[in-house]
Amino acid sequence: MRKIIITIGFVLILLNSIIGFVISGYNPFNIIMVDVSLFFTTSVIYFSLQSNMPDGFKIGYTVIFSFTGLMRLICSVIAQSDFTNNFAFVGFAILLCLEIVCVVIGLSLKDK
């Protein structure tokens, strides 16, 4: 399962990059944001499955991180190319911080 997640993440990043080269209207800023989003989603799902958390956390986190990854992907696609008043980028950052907090909470609860 873990190797499949890495493979799927790599294929999606490769597909996004190829689409970015083919479609001229696809902004390079958005290409990079989508690639980063896919990388973080793949990494955090892989990390949660690799850790010693209870299986309930692993299953729940896989579902939650897949959903928040999709939300970050949408934020990445609709984001403006500058950082001024870029609410999509703010949403991207908030979702990423929430994912990190969830992983820290899951890792801290495994000891109890």
Side-chain angles (χ1 to χ4, degrees):
M1 179 74 173
R2 294 176 194 127
K3 290 182 182 179
I4 293 172
I5 290 171
I6 291 175
T7 304
I8 290 172
F10 176 74
V11 167
L12 289 174
I13 290 170
L14 185 64
L15 178 68
N16 179 60
S17 298
I18 290 170
I19 290 171
F21 289 127
V22 173
I23 298 176
S24 62
Y26 196 15
N27 192 346
F29 178 78
N30 297 92
I31 295 169
I32 293 170
M33 275 191 65
V34 170
D35 284 346
V36 167
S37 177
L38 289 170
F39 176 76
F40 279 135
T41 300
T42 304
S43 298
V44 86
I45 289 173
Y46 180 79
F47 177 72
S48 67
L49 290 176
Q50 200 66 6
S51 70
N52 294 331
M53 287 188 258
D55 288 339
F57 278 108
K58 291 180 183 181
I59 294 168
Y61 281 168
T62 301
V63 172
I64 290 170
F65 294 151
S66 297
F67 178 72
T68 56
L70 179 65
M71 297 303 294
R72 274 191 291 112
L73 186 89
I74 292 169
C75 288
S76 300
V77 170
I78 64 171
Q80 301 169 1
S81 61
D82 59 341
F83 289 107
T84 308
N85 296 327
N86 195 343
F87 293 108
F89 186 76
V90 171
F92 178 92
I94 289 171
L95 288 169
L96 185 62
C97 289
L98 286 173
E99 288 177 351
I100 293 169
V101 167
C102 285
V103 169
V104 170
I105 289 172
L107 289 174
S108 67
L109 289 178
K110 79 171 183 178
D111 296 331
K112 297 183 183 199

